[in-house]
Amino acid sequence: MDLSSHIDSKRDAHLNELLEFLRIPSVSAKTEHKRDIERAARWVADQLRGVGIGKVEIIPTEMHPLVYGESLDAPGKPTILFYGHYDVQPAEPLDLWTSPAFEPTVRDGNLYGRGTADDKGQVHIHLKALESLRQLNGRLPVNVKVLIEGEEEVGSVSLWKFVEQNKKRLEADALVVSDTSMLARGVPSITYALRGLNYYQIEITGPAQDLHSGVFGGAVPNPLTILCGLFAKLHDKKLRVTVPGFYDDVFKLSSAERKALEALPWKETEFRKTVGAPGLCGEEGFSIGERLWCRPTLELNGIWGGYMGEGAKTVIPSKAYAKFSTRLVPKQDTGKIARLVEKHVRKLLPKCVTCKFEVLSTGKPWAASYNHPIFKKAIGALEKDFGKKAVFIREGGSIPFVTQMHDTFKIPCVLIGFGLPDENAHAPDEHLALENYFGGIKAIAHFYQDLAAL
Ligand code: BES
Ligand code: MN
Ligand code: MN
């Protein structure tokens, strides 16, 4: 039987297995899911053993375990490091899901559930591709190292240390990742640039305790009001970030690259539909594509404090909090930006409050050339199963590990995404198109097979 028909014959089995994986609520951000995280790590380890990867290890870390496996039985063939994550984002707000987040359900050709697109579904694509090759040929066509982490959605902090201490073990000829999106349905895509991310949390303290807003209001600082004032000043009228020096090191798009990006089959109407807002806005002087892929941003992710319960409570809160982040682009330095942001925030705050400023996680931006021969293999494999030539895209999201691997080993990083931009990653009703899941297994199997002749 050929590879494609073999994979076709297993569709139901593959999907049922993915459902099992998705039912584990491996939310990395919440300590209450510690057990689920461990269960998911074991599930991945068992899968790897099933694939025939001989050496599989669950590696404990300070936070969530890493799963590592290797099969080095293809002497003379290239070694591929496949990376993905088994952790998922929190499912809240729960009431906005059509079917429960951890009860995966098929509707209209899509599989709904937390982690379908980001990233369990995409990890499973690779596991099933490898398994199919193994079943058909009795062995894998290339040497494979697999690293699946459980902290990607909270900044991959433990992974940094692991890479530092295991450089030899992770050596490979290329890194392969499926944790990104396709430009649009039916358009196979390879991502060659990602934005970086600094994530911050601040705590503003005014009065030593909550106060009656009638008895004290008017003569004391209200930290919530001050926090709102702060965020109102972090962008100017042109929606540029006001932090001095923020744009100093931002790379400039070459005219050749601009042309290539403008020629992509990307539709603004589709984008507007996905966003679903009455209108769009963004930094003046840049196209939507540039705003999303080439420009740094500062986003407020959450703000809280004071009374948020039912009815009215007249109170001046003692504290106010915010979580915010900066997306960074090539040439910006994460440490420098963190210092500039903190300095500016402190300068904007009045003396009547104090501020605790924390950087929760940081990840560098990434952009790389795509002329290594491995990209031809990827294009060929994708074309075979998606019937179209792949496009090369930048994306606005962040995968800190990719930059780290690229900087450490200077190896090509091949990011083949099977998500779609409207699949609600990180939001309610996250889903994955089944055509991309099944098509992905075939394309990735062909890709690994073709890599034997790299
Ligand atoms: N898979 C995403 C990153 C992504 C999504 C890249 C879409 C390109 C297109 C990843 O799981 C993610 O969400 N990363 C976080 C960063 C992390 C440090 C918390 C992000 O981008 O917010
Ligand atoms: Mn992801
Ligand atoms: Mn994510």
Side-chain angles (χ1 to χ4, degrees), residues 261-318:
L261 292 179
E262 277 168 5
L264 288 172
W266 180 87
K267 291 200 188 73
E268 185 172 329
T269 47
E270 283 293 305
F271 179 75
R272 285 180 183 270
K273 212 164 85 200
T274 302
V275 174
L280 299 177
C281 63
E283 190 186 355
E284 204 176 288
F286 295 92
S287 68
I288 296 177
E290 287 173 286
R291 288 173 183 168
L292 295 173
W293 297 350
C294 308
R295 299 295 297 169
T297 61
L298 185 151
E299 298 284 354
L300 182 51
N301 301 115
I303 187 164
W304 72 103
Y307 185 65
M308 295 186 286
E310 198 181 341
K313 181 187 182 200
T314 48
V315 64
I316 292 171
S318 163

Side-chain angles (χ1 to χ4, degrees), residues 39-53 56 58 67 127 131:
R39 203 145 55 89
R42 282 199 302 273
W43 194 93
V44 172
D46 287 344
Q47 274 284 319
L48 288 177
R49 289 185 196 105
V51 168
I53 291 197
V56 180
I58 297 181
V67 184
L127 299 179
E131 185 187 67

Side-chain angles (χ1 to χ4, degrees), residues 8-25:
D8 278 336
S9 74
K10 303 246 160 180
R11 281 167 74 105
D12 290 349
H14 289 165
L15 182 60
N16 282 328
E17 216 181 77
L18 174 56
L19 297 183
E20 220 178 85
F21 192 16
L22 292 167
R23 287 192 192 106
I24 308 173

Side-chain angles (χ1 to χ4, degrees), residues 3 27 36 66 79 104 129 151 172 191 200 209 251 260-261 263 280-281 300 333 351 362 365 373 375 387 397 423 434:
L3 192 52
V27 179
D36 301 313
L66 293 160
T79 300
E151 278 177 40
T191 300
Y200 317 91
Q209 68 287 310
F251 83 107
L261 292 179
L280 299 177
C281 63
L300 182 51
D333 178 78
K351 296 274 175 296
T362 158
F375 291 99
E423 284 181 339
L434 286 176

Side-chain angles (χ1 to χ4, degrees), residues 76-143:
K77 303 291 181 199
T79 300
I80 304 303
L81 173 63
F82 167 62
Y83 160 83
H85 61 97
Y86 66 80
D87 65 321
V88 298
Q89 287 272 325
E92 284 83 359
L94 301 181
D95 52 322
L96 296 184
W97 285 80
T98 309
S99 50
F102 296 108
E103 293 172 27
T105 309
V106 173
R107 281 195 303 279
D108 308 327
N110 293 316
L111 176 59
Y112 285 82
R114 176 57 87 231
T116 46
D118 187 10
D119 180 33
K120 287 173 168 171
Q122 299 207 57
V123 165
H124 201 243
I125 284 174
H126 284 256
L127 299 179
K128 294 304 102 176
L130 291 170
E131 185 187 67
S132 305
L133 288 164
R134 173 90 186 196
Q135 285 169 346
L136 268 185
N137 308 322
R139 52 179 204 85
L140 295 177
V142 287
N143 300 299

Side-chain angles (χ1 to χ4, degrees), residues 85 89 118 152-155 179-181 194 197 327 361 395-400 426:
H85 61 97
Q89 287 272 325
D118 187 10
E152 197 278 341
E153 299 291 8
V154 289
D179 191 23
T180 47
S181 302
L194 295 165
L197 179 77
R327 289 283 162 182
S361 74
E395 283 196 281
S398 311
I399 311 175
H426 295 204

Side-chain angles (χ1 to χ4, degrees), residues 381-393:
L382 285 164
E383 191 164 2
K384 208 176 299 176
D385 293 288
F386 285 83
K388 253 197 200 145
K389 212 170 160 100
V391 294
F392 283 86
I393 60 173

